[in-house]
Structures are given as structure tokens and as C-alpha cells.
Amino acid sequence: MRSLTSFITLALVARSFAAIGPSADLVIANAYIQPDGFNRSASAVQFPGPVITGSKGDTFIMNVVDSLSDTTMLTSTSIHWHGLFQEGSAWADGVVGVAQCPIISGDSFQYQFSVPDQAGTFWYHSHHSTQYCDGLRGALVVYDTADPYLSEYDVDDESTIITLADWYHTVAPSAGAVPTADSTLINGLGRYSGGPTTNLSVITVSSGTRYRFRLISMSCDPNFTFSIDDHNLTIIEVDGQNVQPLVVDSIQIFAGQRYSFILNANQTVSNYWIRANPNVGTTGFTGGLNSAILRYSGADAVDPATNISLANTLLETNLHPLTNPAAPGNATSGGADVNLNMLITFSGTGFSLNGASFAPPTVPVLLQILSGASTAADLLPSGSLYVLPANSVIEVSLPGGSAGSPHPFHLHGHAFSVVRSAGSSTYNYVDPVRRDVVSIGAATDNVTIRFETDNSGPWIMHCHIDWHLELGLAIVFAEDTATIASSNSTIPTAWDSLCPTYDAAPTQTF
């Protein structure tokens, strides 16, 4: 299915299914690309980046080489491995200002982390300002030879990964505070309104075969309503967490979220539209916008003539964990050891959580803690740090409806139980879905999550609309500060060099 060790650069794998990992060089460079027919410089040689794969129990060793040179965009970088808990390796989480200083152009940095007890669908992206919107994003899959659903599907490889992304014709530093995407890309191809009739992505299936598709939203902003005409989708995994099978015909997927679904290729041999309708920007499917093609082997290479008809859309409250379903803590509102209520406000120029707007500190939070800071009063940025005790249940309530809603919130270092979902007023402590990105919904919502502090480190929780994160919509949980140093005892000396090297480099301004 994949090699265990490969060394390959982005430049060598353009538009292929050649996965790399779990040990690899990942060379980040600029190139002009035309995924929707519009030619622009990007922070990637291909889009999406190469698929990174490994297996449950593997140690990943990813050497990120920064060869960026286009100064209209960021030339320094970092990589976050979205959804991986980084237990014992908080230094490798990749968040600029929290876990590290950026890697400068001409330098490299080797991330090393293990996945002893995680498997599923993940992704990687820059976590440096809004850089991933310029192209630095790709899929990451951790396979499990003991997957409980292994007998339910026939194919699960790089060809069954489906990535959804918004694409911009203006480089991120010049695009404005919250720009509108020009197109939707499915597996790296799409069309824009008024643009050329470029090739769309084609996913080929064989009649009678069952496929495990891994759907990843690499969005910087929109959520997408995803569907495949005339086909049901049986969801079996959500954000790296196995769930009880749930049959739907469409999935509203928010930035950073992932779903695995089984598709049975049991329809007439033909072509069928794959659709990903964004909630903002150019919507609809005229002229192949927001679309790709599911093609059965033996069908003519023509556009589908199918129509959309949805009657069974995903409700988050219908998702339930396959194992250990109960939320931590007492089965009552506020029944956690620490209960936090978050208020989101927007000033017109920036977001705040409980009155504080997050700006990445010049000294990363992890370095502050390793240097002796341990309380919220000591840690920067002031007002954005929440110190959490070890081995405790944390409940966080996030009311919806603020400017730019719905906001998809992502917590690093953990998956959490969604005890109250958007669109619901019911609290479920018995079997709520576990995930790592949740939409906090509209003004009537008060989405509530719970997790246990069993992973010491500084973990950012932020809106995954990248433009909103840049405007301050984040906080950091400093979890079990007393053991962070001992649990991160394998920090490489190269990590110590990142900040002085970056601080000595010329400052980029836009």
C-alpha cells in the first residue's frame, strides 16, 4: 500500500499518488501553479502536497526543508500535524508562537513524533500566520491493520483520499483581512466563475467494489456541503475517531474536519457528480463549479448528467463513538473539574476570547514554560493563557453567533467529547461524538466540549478559519505545566536554535 521509508520532495511527486513517510524529506518551495486555470505563485510545488502515510505505532521523522524564496508571501514556515496528539513531543506540534519559532528560508528542521495509539485521517499544514492559504497543506493518513471496519471495504489507499480546499488568486499577505475564495478545489483541481473549462478531478471506481474514502477539509474559510449524486455515504470515522456506522447522503464539513465513509459502487456504470458547495463565495455547480467526477470503470469519459437530490444529511448528534462512548466527568451541566465559558467578540478589526485577542508571542509558550514560567500571570500573551491542572476533566462552552459564524474550533493535543452540538439544545453525556474540530454554530447555540488533561503541554484552541485565527481568535491551554519539561525530554538541539536563527533574520513586512 505504501513504503515505510521514502525520501522525496514536493517537486518530484506532482499530481501523483506517490505517498511519503513515515520518514521523509518534505521540501517546501515556491512554484507557479494553475489548479483552477489561473496562474499564480504558491507556497507549494504541487497542490495538495504529497500524501504522508504511516501505520499505528510508527514514529514519524519528517525533515522539513524551507526553500521558499517568493517574498510576496512568507518565506519562513512551520508544519502542524493536524489531529496528532504529540504526547511527549509538544515541541513538534508546529504552532508558531506556541510550540516553536519559524523555520527560515535556507534552513531545515526535523520533526519527530510517535503515534502509539492513533489511527485515521489527518492532515498537515503550515501553522505560521495565513501561509497554508497559499498552498502549504496536504493529507496525512495513519493506517491500522486492526481497523474494526477492515472487512467492510475493499480499497483504502492514496486513490481514495478526497481533499476539499478553497483557493485564492491573490497571495494571502495581500488578500485582505477576510478574503473570499475564488474557487473550490477537489483533489487539487477546480474551476472559477468566468474562468476556463479546466479539467476536473476524476475518481474512478469499479462496479461492485466497496471503497473507504477519506474526506479532508483543508479549507481556510468555507464549510462545504459534500455529496456524490445517487450514492449513500456510510460514515465510520470522524477526525481520527471510529464511530458507529451512520448512513447519510451529504456531509457538511468544516475547516479542519475529516470523515471516512464507505461507498459501495453499486450504481449503473456511468459518471456521477461529486459536489462540494461552499457556504461563502461562488456557490452552485454551473459549469462544473465546486465539482469533481465519480467515474465507473467502463463509462465514457464525459461529464455526468446526474442531478443532486438530498434527503438524509448528516446531523452531528447522530454520530456516536464505536468504543468508550461516555463523555468524561459527571453527567450534569458543569459536571467537570474546570468549567470555562468563552465569550467571542469582534471589534471590527479583530476577535477576542473573554476579552483577549491572541497574537503569537515572540518567545513561544513552550519556551516560556521551559524557562520557568508556570502561571497565567507569568505567561504571554497576557489574557490568552489558561493553566489547566493534570488529570482533570475540562468543560468548555462556546456560544455561537458572533461575527463570521459559524466558527469551527480546533483543539490541539486532544480529541474532545461534544456534549452539546450546534443546532441542538440537548446535552449528551452518554455517547457524544469525539472529534478535534467542532462548529460552534449560530446565535442560539452553546456548543460544549469536554476533555481530560492527560497530555502535558501548551495546546492552542482556535478557530480554524485561518483568517479569523490571524485576527486573534484563539487561546492556549497550558496543561500540567509542572511536567511539561520532563515529558518533552527529547527536544532536539535544533529546536533551541530556531528562535535565535529566526530573530537574527531580516523581518518580513507586507
Side-chain angles (χ1 to χ4, degrees):
M1 184 182 295
R2 57 205 177 275
S3 62
L4 289 179
T5 306
S6 58
F7 293 87
I8 195 163
T9 70
L10 275 75
L12 296 178
V13 293
R15 301 227 179 278
S16 77
F17 290 130
I20 65 173
S23 295
D25 282 344
L26 187 65
V27 179
I28 312 301
N30 299 115
Y32 276 85
I33 60 175
Q34 310 86 30
D36 61 359
F38 181 88
N39 193 38
R40 59 152 290 184
S41 180
S43 297
V45 173
Q46 70 173 89
F47 187 84
V51 175
I52 297 173
T53 65
S55 296
K56 187 176 181 178
D58 278 348
T59 295
F60 284 76
I61 303 174
M62 300 301 301
N63 185 46
V64 174
V65 180
D66 186 343
S67 296
L68 295 168
S69 59
D70 187 338
T71 56
T72 67
M73 296 171 282
L74 284 170
T75 57
S76 53
T77 195
S78 75
I79 300 293
H80 170 58
W81 319 94
H82 182 117
L84 299 182
F85 298 154
Q86 300 294 351
E87 187 169 358
S89 53
W91 61 268
D93 196 43
V95 183
V96 167
V98 178
Q100 68 171 88
C101 285
I103 309 162
I104 68 166
S105 179
D107 205 355
S108 64
F109 181 67
Q110 182 172 281
Y111 295 88
Q112 181 170 326
F113 49 89
S114 297
V115 287
D117 53 8
Q118 285 188 271
T121 309
F122 308 94
W123 62 301
Y124 65 93
H125 59 85
S126 169
H127 219 300
H128 184 18
S129 185
T130 54
Q131 187 178 49
Y132 90 72
C133 305
D134 281 324
L136 213 179
R137 27 185 167 164
L140 191 162
V141 177
V142 180
Y143 293 97
D144 183 2
T145 56
D147 173 29
Y149 289 112
L150 203 58
S151 65
E152 302 298 316
Y153 53 82
D154 307 304
V155 182
D156 175 27
D157 57 23
E158 293 80 51
S159 72
T160 60
I161 295 170
I162 303 175
T163 63
L164 309 180
D166 47 348
W167 191 245
Y168 301 82
H169 294 169
T170 303
V171 297
S174 304
V178 186
T180 301
D182 292 288
S183 60
T184 297
L185 306 182
I186 302 178
N187 282 352
L189 294 175
R191 295 173 185 167
Y192 65 94
S193 181
T197 306
T198 54
N199 289 333
L200 299 175
S201 291
V202 176
I203 296 173
T204 301
V205 295
S206 295
S207 185
T209 303
R210 303 166 302 170
Y211 295 84
R212 176 179 181 156
F213 283 105
R214 297 175 182 267
L215 180 67
I216 304 171
S217 174
M218 300 178 176
S219 176
C220 280
D221 186 348
N223 64 74
F224 299 101
T225 299
F226 176 87
S227 62
I228 301 176
D229 286 359
D230 300 337
H231 289 77
N232 284 324
L233 320 173
T234 302
I235 297 171
I236 58 170
E237 177 226 341
V238 176
D239 294 359
Q241 303 287 322
N242 292 324
V243 296
Q244 296 176 23
L246 179 66
V247 179
V248 300
D249 61 15
S250 66
I251 297 170
Q252 186 180 19
I253 183 169
F254 293 83
Q257 291 184 332
R258 296 89 63 209
Y259 291 89
S260 281
F261 62 85
I262 296 171
L263 180 141
N264 191 347
N266 58 5
Q267 299 300 302
T268 303
V269 172
S270 187
N271 295 282
Y272 299 84
W273 284 118
I274 300 171
R275 304 176 189 267
N277 204 24
N279 70 311
V280 293
T282 304
T283 59
F285 311 104
T286 302
L289 296 176
N290 307 311
S291 300
I293 298 170
L294 183 77
R295 176 167 294 151
Y296 278 64
S297 295
D300 293 335
V302 297
D303 281 354
T306 55
N307 297 307
I308 187 170
S309 177
L310 304 179
N312 186 23
T313 191
L314 169 65
L315 294 176
E316 188 175 67
T317 49
N318 288 338
L319 293 167
H320 305 290
L322 184 63
T323 57
N324 303 318
N330 296 325
T332 58
S333 181
D337 299 308
V338 178
N339 298 279
L340 299 171
N341 295 298
M342 296 293 159
L343 176 64
I344 300 171
T345 54
F346 182 64
S347 67
T349 57
F351 286 96
S352 294
L353 269 169
N354 286 358
S357 184
F358 178 80
T362 55
V363 177
V365 176
L366 178 58
L367 181 54
Q368 295 177 49
I369 293 169
L370 296 177
S371 302
S374 61
T375 68
D378 297 333
L379 292 164
L380 297 175
S382 179
S384 294
L385 267 292
Y386 292 73
V387 175
L388 300 181
N391 304 312
S392 301
V393 177
I394 313 301
E395 179 174 292
V396 184
S397 296
L398 293 153
S402 60
S405 292
H407 298 286
F409 265 78
H410 172 45
L411 174 62
H412 291 219
H414 294 277
F416 47 75
S417 296
V418 185
V419 298
R420 178 174 168 177
S421 290
S424 172
S425 59
T426 301
Y427 289 84
N428 176 8
Y429 305 101
V430 176
D431 58 356
V433 68
R434 280 192 303 270
R435 61 186 324 155
D436 59 52
V437 181
V438 66
S439 167
I440 67 169
T444 55
D445 290 312
N446 188 33
V447 168
T448 305
I449 65 172
R450 283 189 183 177
F451 64 97
E452 294 183 83
T453 50
D454 53 8
N455 185 16
S456 63
W459 307 117
I460 192 170
M461 184 178 76
H462 63 90
C463 178
H464 221 295
I465 296 175
D466 216 31
W467 315 109
H468 294 178
L469 171 57
E470 182 73 0
L471 294 176
L473 194 44
I475 58 172
V476 176
F477 292 125
E479 179 177 334
D480 186 13
T481 55
T483 67
I484 287 176
S486 59
S487 66
N488 283 268
S489 58
T490 59
I491 296 177
T493 55
W495 182 87
D496 297 321
S497 301
L498 286 173
C499 288
T501 301
Y502 178 75
D503 292 342
T507 302
Q508 246 187 308
T509 55
F510 300 100

